[in-house]
Amino acid sequence: MSTLDLPVSAAPRSRRSLSRRGSFWTAAAVAGISLWTSAAPTTTYPLYASTWHLTPTATTAIFAVYPVVLVAFLLIFGQVSDYIGRRTTMLYGVGAMLAGVFLFAVAPSVGWVYAGRALMGAGVGLALTPATAAAVEFSARGKEHRAASITTVATAAGLALATIVGGGLIEYAPAPLHLDYWVLVAVIVGVLAAIWRMPRHTRDEAQGRWRPRPITVAKGTRLLYLAAALAVTGAYAFGSVFLALGAEIVRDLVGTGNVFVIGLLLAIFSVATGTTAIIGRRFPAQRLVPLGAVLTLVDLGLLELAATAHSVPLFIATTIVGGTAYGLLFSGGLGLIAAHAPAHHRGATVAAVYLVAYILQGAIALTLGLVATASGLSTALLLGVTVIGTLAILILAAAILHTTRKEVS
């Protein structure tokens, strides 16, 4: 019996199945396209606004539909991959992503975009949790800790591709509202084919039949979960500023209308995230999280300064420091789970972390859009800085408490 099969399964792994290494990179690719799908409309928001005469509230609502639906799917299906398998759950999720991106590719009006965004949320809600868990389970033996870093790099690559490919095609290619989504459709189809070849189960999945049930966190890991959830939430909350309002910030505060340039500037954030995750592999997760919280506080000050001064160099510095903070918080939060969460409960624990992160991300993005519509972009940024700064302080406190408890025990 393959070491990747469930203990109750006697069926050998098919010769046509991917190897352990191939499955690991496929899981990472699913995490990458999840974030590419999430961020795909980032550079298109201003174009939607000008073409369909949308307010900032309407454009941020397009963004916010995604986490709202995603949260609903996490609540219902957050633990499903622990029972029906990572591969099967990822197939459903990536299939829904494909349908959502297809609707964006053919959308004649904003209603189609809202529907596509809902399908994107459903797809990522189903796919990202099993992809994160599978990356741990298909890691080389003794190197499970690298899964969090590689997952972070993959998601950063997805974010960078979303802004660079989207910005370049919108600025220089025909069909600016649609072509970049057709490119993403082709990429998703390729990843879907790779998922199909993954082994059906891993030894770390739970036994028994799945049924809808509340997401729970295993006893004895509540403080660990709090630290991990706050860290990932902090990363996502700060990321929501760039994903929901990033293109508007660059265009209005930095002063450029070239969509490709906007995409490149936003991609600096993702490059810094990926680089930080690679370097951070050498350090324990409990050290990454507090450092990420401190850098978040520093970067919030830089963001306000860049907005006030209308400075391109300051904005670039903001994206570099912000991407570094995001990488530390995200990979550190996932690293805590990879190192300490019970194997048979890994999917549920990851889902619980993403649940909190996406609830707050959606709430922050929609609130910032409402404030930007009513009072202007500068006021919205000030509110975002205040909320995320408070969250960074909570992250720092939780990380210190977790480290202290661990040392005492």
Side-chain angles (χ1 to χ4, degrees):
M1 183 179 71
S2 168
T3 58
L4 293 178
D5 287 338
L6 280 170
V8 296
S9 173
R13 182 168 66 88
S14 167
R15 292 182 181 179
R16 299 181 64 183
S17 294
L18 289 176
S19 65
R20 186 187 191 100
R21 183 182 179 85
S23 298
F24 170 82
W25 288 110
T26 297
V30 172
I33 63 164
S34 294
L35 271 292
W36 186 346
T37 299
S38 167
T42 299
T43 50
T44 323
Y45 288 139
L47 194 58
Y48 288 148
S50 61
T51 303
W52 295 327
H53 309 291
L54 305 178
T55 65
T57 300
T59 54
T60 50
I62 295 172
F63 175 83
V65 165
Y66 162 84
V68 167
V69 175
L70 189 151
V71 164
F73 269 73
L74 279 177
L75 284 170
I76 299 171
F77 301 105
Q79 303 184 74
V80 69
S81 76
D82 284 334
Y83 294 89
I84 70 173
R86 315 299 186 209
R87 171 187 175 273
T88 300
T89 310
M90 283 190 284
L91 283 173
Y92 287 131
V94 175
M97 274 190 257
L98 180 61
V101 174
F102 175 78
L103 287 183
F104 269 78
V106 299
S109 65
V110 71
W112 288 60
V113 168
Y114 282 123
R117 199 65 174 145
L119 282 169
M120 287 178 177
V124 176
L126 285 171
L128 188 55
T129 292
T132 304
V136 176
E137 293 157 7
F138 286 111
S139 295
R141 291 178 178 83
K143 296 184 178 180
E144 290 80 2
H145 62 282
R146 70 192 287 259
S149 298
I150 297 299
T151 301
T152 305
V153 172
T155 57
L159 290 172
L161 287 169
T163 56
I164 293 174
V165 173
L169 292 177
I170 289 170
E171 187 67 32
Y172 301 114
L177 283 177
H178 307 289
L179 184 58
D180 57 324
Y181 296 107
W182 284 114
V183 172
L184 182 53
V185 163
V187 173
I188 292 175
V189 168
V191 174
L192 199 60
I195 299 170
W196 186 263
R197 295 187 58 210
M198 290 180 70
R200 293 183 178 274
H201 297 289
T202 77
R203 66 180 183 275
D204 290 331
E205 291 162 12
Q207 300 181 39
R209 295 178 62 85
W210 174 80
R211 57 180 175 80
R213 68 193 76 192
I215 295 177
T216 57
V217 178
K219 292 181 179 179
T221 63
R222 303 289 167 80
L223 185 57
L224 164 74
Y225 164 74
L226 177 63
L230 283 173
V232 175
T233 299
Y236 273 28
F238 195 72
S240 70
V241 174
F242 283 87
L243 292 179
L245 296 175
E248 293 287 343
I249 292 171
V250 176
R251 189 182 67 179
D252 295 345
L253 301 184
V254 178
T256 179
N258 186 299
V259 184
F260 184 54
V261 172
I262 290 172
L264 287 175
L265 287 173
L266 292 177
I268 295 172
F269 183 92
S270 305
V271 172
T273 296
T275 303
T276 301
I278 293 172
I279 297 173
R281 290 167 52 184
R282 304 176 183 178
F283 302 95
Q286 56 265 30
R287 292 185 182 179
L288 302 182
V289 172
L291 180 57
V294 171
L295 284 181
T296 298
L297 291 171
V298 171
D299 198 55
L300 291 172
L302 284 175
L303 181 60
E304 270 296 306
L305 189 59
T308 303
H310 296 266
S311 168
V312 174
L314 272 177
F315 184 81
I316 291 174
T318 299
T319 58
I320 293 173
V321 177
T324 302
Y326 184 106
L328 291 169
L329 291 174
F330 189 73
S331 59
L334 293 184
L336 290 174
I337 296 172
H340 303 292
H344 296 308
H345 206 68
R346 186 176 290 123
T349 307
V350 171
V353 167
Y354 282 135
L355 177 65
V356 173
Y358 276 110
I359 286 175
L360 285 182
Q361 185 191 48
I364 290 171
L366 188 56
T367 301
L368 292 181
L370 291 170
V371 173
T373 300
S375 306
L377 193 57
S378 297
T379 304
L381 279 177
L382 181 60
L383 175 63
V385 165
T386 303
V387 172
I388 297 170
T390 303
L391 186 57
I393 293 172
L394 291 175
I395 293 167
L396 192 59
I400 293 173
L401 183 59
H402 174 261
T403 302
T404 303
R405 290 277 183 89
K406 186 177 177 183
E407 289 175 352
V408 170
S409 59

